[in-house]
Amino acid sequence: MPRLTARERREGYQREYAFQKRHGKPFFPNAVFHDTIVSLIVVALIMGLTILWYAQFGPVSADPTAERVGGLLGPAYEAKADPGVLGYHPQPDWYFFFLFELLRIFKTPQLLIVGTIIIPTIWMVLLIGWPFIDRNPDRRLSRRPIALAIGVMVPVVLLTLTFYGSKAPGVGGAASTEPGAAAFAGGACSTCHVLANAGTAGNVGPVLDDAKPDYATALKLITNGQGGMPSFKATYTEDEISCLAGYVATWSAAVGETPGPNADTAKETYPASCEKAGGLFTGTASSAAGP
Ligand code: HEC
């Protein structure tokens, strides 16, 4: 495309404008009619799918806990929500998996802001500014290597993040109902430590199933911190810390219901300290859901 001066461009535009004004179709009623028809088709499609969905599930059981089985278009509704459940792994809807995975990459408290605020903000600003950044009038792909590269890279990155995000374990909520598990999984520990019994997958601190700390080590680390491990003296009471240390010592490297190799070191205090700490620390659904 030959380069035009600003004046030539303006004149060209005015010629085109005058031509369209005389010979083009007016917005009203042509475009409005067009949009109305398309909107009606979309609404009709949604209504059709709704009718199909309603027609395809069988009689609904009166039992409120029964699963509502359905066909291709999904169940009528799912089993009743239970706020006392400890083993629940919340996950975002699939179209948020890429963000979910981004948060898992930047998961230390210091870096969290990069994944939650900085990257999405840069992304938004780039999108808004794109017409001002990219002023290349050429539409042929071979002349637009940078735009082409970015255009390919963005969906690849998003799809990759979505794929890994879909396989990530849910956040919060403990896998087991042992005393201390819910506090470990729901609190600060889950972001930094892997502990299979609690169902956590943090990647900052040591994998506790490998470290297998004994009660005294765990108690000392949780109380005073060390290196990258923060001190929890100000966060938790003595009973709560003792409960967490007992939980970690007992259930690190556990195989199913069989406690780990250092369980004996916590025998004196665990799970009694959890009972004293109360609330989320006791590990029973009813008290965890309590006030
Ligand atoms: C900010 C990340 C972070 C958080 C949050 C965190 N830890 Fe740690 N943790 C670490 C790091 C890093 C280490 C290694 C410290 C060292 O050895 O210098 C560690 C070490 C430990 C150890 C000793 C493991 C061993 O080597 O035997 C235990 C036990 C432990 N953490 C339990 C907990 C518990 C329980 C919580 C929650 C109350 C928690 N951690 C929260 C990062 C963290």
Side-chain angles (χ1 to χ4, degrees), residues 38-152:
V38 173
S39 309
L40 283 179
I41 292 175
V42 171
V43 171
L45 195 72
I46 294 173
M47 284 170 67
L49 281 173
T50 312
I51 293 169
L52 266 184
W53 164 79
Y54 187 79
Q56 47 109 43
F57 55 75
V60 173
S61 151
D63 174 6
T65 59
E67 287 263 353
R68 266 49 178 176
V69 276
L72 219 61
L73 292 174
Y77 45 90
E78 287 164 351
K80 209 173 166 190
D82 177 2
V85 161
L86 280 176
Y88 181 62
H89 278 207
Q91 269 205 330
D93 282 314
W94 65 267
Y95 42 84
F96 281 131
F97 278 164
F98 74 97
L99 254 184
F100 185 50
E101 183 62 19
L102 203 60
L103 295 189
R104 281 167 41 80
I105 294 174
F106 299 102
K107 69 181 350 175
T108 68
Q110 296 88 340
L111 280 179
L112 209 57
I113 194 168
V114 175
T116 50
I117 295 179
I118 296 181
I119 291 185
T121 304
I122 292 177
W123 177 239
M124 288 293 167
V125 169
L126 269 181
L127 273 187
I128 293 170
W130 199 247
F132 306 100
I133 299 169
D134 180 12
R135 313 211 41 182
N136 184 348
D138 233 318
R139 297 181 69 177
R140 215 170 314 157
L141 283 182
S142 58
R143 303 242 185 106
R144 316 212 45 185
I146 298 178
L148 182 64
I150 295 177
V152 171

Side-chain angles (χ1 to χ4, degrees), residues 107-110 183-185 187-193 195 203-208 210-215 217-222 225-232 235-236 240-241 243-245 247-249 252 262 281:
K107 69 181 350 175
T108 68
Q110 296 88 340
F184 186 96
C189 321
S190 61
T191 50
C192 290
H193 289 289
L195 181 50
N203 57 5
V204 180
V207 174
L208 293 177
D210 295 337
K212 308 189 261 294
D214 59 22
Y215 175 74
T217 309
L219 192 70
K220 194 179 90 205
L221 264 286
I222 301 168
Q226 174 181 308
M229 166 87 184
S231 157
F232 286 91
T235 317
Y236 294 125
E240 290 168 345
I241 290 179
C243 167
L244 283 170
Y247 169 73
V248 169
S252 291
N262 275 321
F281 291 81

